Amino acid sequence: TTDTNFVGTINDEPLMFKINSQRAGFLGTLLNGDGFMVGSVAFGQHALLNASPYTSAGNVAIGALAMRDYVGAGANVAIGRGAMLFNKTSYRSVVIGEFAMQYSWGGDHNTYVGDFAGEVNSGAGYNTGVGGNAMRGNKQGGFNVATGFFSLLQNTTAIDYVTITNGGSGYTTATVTFSAPEAATPGTTSTQATGTVVLTGDVVTGITITNRGSGYSNEKSTVTATITGDGTGATGTVVLISGANNVASGYAAHAFNRIGKGNVVLGYEAGMGLLNAAPSYIDDNLVLLGYGASRSVGLSSETKLTNATAIGYNSKVGASNTMSLGGLGADAVNVGINTDEARAKLDVVDGDILVHELTVGRGGGSLSTNTVFGLGAFETNTSVNNGLVGNNVIIGNSAFANAN
């Protein structure tokens, strides 16, 4: 019977599994000795190896090496060989895929699905990455959504600025050295930042960032700026900046974004241009919609765009606060309103265009003050000011047709 024939324990102890005398999984008890709910589950050699079956709370680790080094609060799901392998402290994250989030340290409420997705996530939270290598290089950027292979691949954290906490004295020359980020893994980016010291008299008053670097994080150790020279006492605090609040969907969508924020990028290779011709690294609040929609080719990657939009296949935008429709040259398009076959660059059917309160179009109806351009202007107008007396301006063939 099931009462006498079963695999399990007859006491309130975790059920352990081993391979070659090494832990290969366990079924944790629902409550530990202090009455706290725990109940973690691990299957796979070295899965949840360093977590205690008596204290690990609500974790599910399935796959060899899944969550091997985890010692945190719990409530995570890691499925796949090496998923969350080196993670220490994440909370309520769902990670599915081989080596997904493997080098991560912390970060709460993340969802990563795909091999190597969120691989080096370090303290970042509230991200969703779906697809192989999605957000692979993300460090501390939060609230991102990436769907598609390579989407937001190199989203990272860099040095924004340095706050001088003590200017010191006696300087005639000085240099600054930033601590190095962790080494990059394949597919991620890691470069050491550089800067120059600003002196006012013999006092350090600022640091000019000449290269923001990439791959930084304060999660494991604090990023530092060391000021040296012939004076003494100067110190500063490093402030980081991360790619955050982005939405990218499509193969390699916004793949090379580094620290840009608030961007919406949808389409195959959108945000990088066809064949990576115009990648976006630092831009904020862009909307790039369409296969290869991107910044303008030739625009310096250090020229930051803000609040710019490009819509359509291979469309390009090269200035802030600008919207571009369609591509250039052979990829240029006509725009139609109330028509599915635009015959000109702008084709408006059965309606007028309002420009600074001036009507451009047929101008029909009983309006007494119209500015009208085009064939059939003023058609069937019933205004009392229908001659040259009044506020009407009429340009075009049959300008006063059917006026009353």
Side-chain angles (χ1 to χ4, degrees):
T1 67
T2 57
D3 291 334
T4 57
N5 297 291
F6 61 88
V7 176
T9 67
I10 58 173
N11 54 22
D12 193 21
E13 292 293 323
L15 176 61
M16 305 296 295
F17 301 89
K18 291 188 177 183
I19 297 175
N20 194 27
S21 299
Q22 296 181 343
R23 200 164 87 179
F26 64 83
L27 296 177
T29 58
L30 179 61
L31 300 176
N32 64 14
D34 297 322
F36 292 108
M37 185 174 292
V38 283
S40 290
V41 175
F43 282 106
Q45 193 163 18
H46 292 176
L48 267 176
L49 179 65
N50 292 324
S52 168
Y54 297 96
T55 59
S56 179
N59 291 299
V60 176
I62 300 176
L65 301 173
M67 295 186 72
R68 186 193 67 181
D69 292 353
Y70 188 78
V71 293
N76 299 288
V77 175
I79 300 175
R81 181 170 65 118
M84 296 181 71
L85 170 59
F86 298 106
N87 188 277
K88 297 289 188 182
T89 61
S90 285
Y91 179 62
R92 289 188 173 172
S93 291
V94 177
V95 180
I96 301 174
E98 183 183 38
F99 296 117
M101 225 172 142
Q102 70 159 325
Y103 289 111
S104 63
W105 188 263
D108 302 337
H109 300 279
N110 292 296
T111 301
Y112 288 116
V113 180
D115 59 299
F116 297 102
E119 182 186 25
V120 296
N121 193 91
S122 183
Y126 302 92
N127 294 295
T128 299
V130 179
N133 293 273
M135 295 187 66
R136 183 171 183 173
N138 186 59
K139 284 287 191 174
Q140 293 190 279
F143 302 94
N144 296 289
V145 176
T147 59
F149 197 87
F150 287 143
S151 56
L152 280 176
L153 172 68
Q154 293 188 356
N155 202 74
T156 191
T157 298
I159 292 177
D160 193 14
Y161 59 91
V162 176
T163 299
I164 300 300
T165 53
N166 188 333
S169 62
Y171 291 95
T172 61
T173 181
T175 59
V176 60
T177 302
F178 293 103
S179 55
E182 289 185 300
T185 65
T188 68
T189 177
S190 177
T191 55
Q192 188 169 2
T194 59
T196 58
V197 176
V198 178
L199 294 176
T200 302
D202 66 346
V203 176
V204 174
T205 56
I207 301 293
T208 300
I209 306 299
T210 54
N211 184 336
R212 294 179 183 273
S214 61
Y216 280 97
S217 171
N218 280 324
E219 185 73 7
K220 297 180 183 179
S221 60
T222 301
V223 179
T224 61
T226 303
I227 301 170
T228 56
D230 55 358
T232 59
T235 58
T237 301
V238 174
V239 178
L240 300 179
I241 185 172
S242 301
N245 305 99
N246 297 293
V247 176
S249 181
Y251 174 86
H254 218 16
F256 294 110
N257 181 61
R258 301 289 177 85
I259 56 174
K261 301 183 294 298
N263 300 295
V264 177
V265 180
L266 308 178
Y268 181 98
E269 293 189 348
M272 54 187 290
L274 301 183
L275 302 177
N276 193 27
S280 170
Y281 297 124
I282 61 175
D283 304 313
D284 292 344
N285 304 318
L286 299 190
V287 177
L288 304 174
L289 307 179
Y291 188 134
S294 68
R295 296 158 48 97
S296 294
V297 176
L299 185 66
S300 169
S301 61
E302 295 302 313
T303 300
K304 182 175 181 176
L305 297 183
T306 302
N307 191 31
T309 299
I311 300 175
Y313 170 80
N314 203 23
S315 55
K316 300 287 181 281
V317 62
S320 296
N321 304 307
T322 301
M323 176 182 288
S324 299
L325 300 178
L328 305 176
D331 297 324
V333 300
N334 294 334
V335 177
I337 299 176
N338 199 33
T339 177
D340 58 1
E341 296 182 359
R343 298 159 295 177
K345 290 302 179 186
L346 178 60
D347 188 355
V348 180
V349 176
D350 293 333
D352 295 334
I353 300 173
L354 192 64
V355 182
H356 286 293
E357 302 303 323
L358 302 179
T359 300
V360 179
R362 289 180 179 272
S366 59
L367 297 176
S368 59
T369 55
N370 294 311
T371 299
V372 182
F373 301 84
L375 184 66
F378 244 48
E379 189 173 6
T380 68
N381 182 70
T382 58
S383 169
V384 295
N385 296 320
N386 57 8
L388 297 180
V389 180
N391 299 318
N392 301 304
V393 176
I394 308 98
I395 300 176
N397 258 342
S398 306
F400 263 67
N402 302 316
N404 296 305

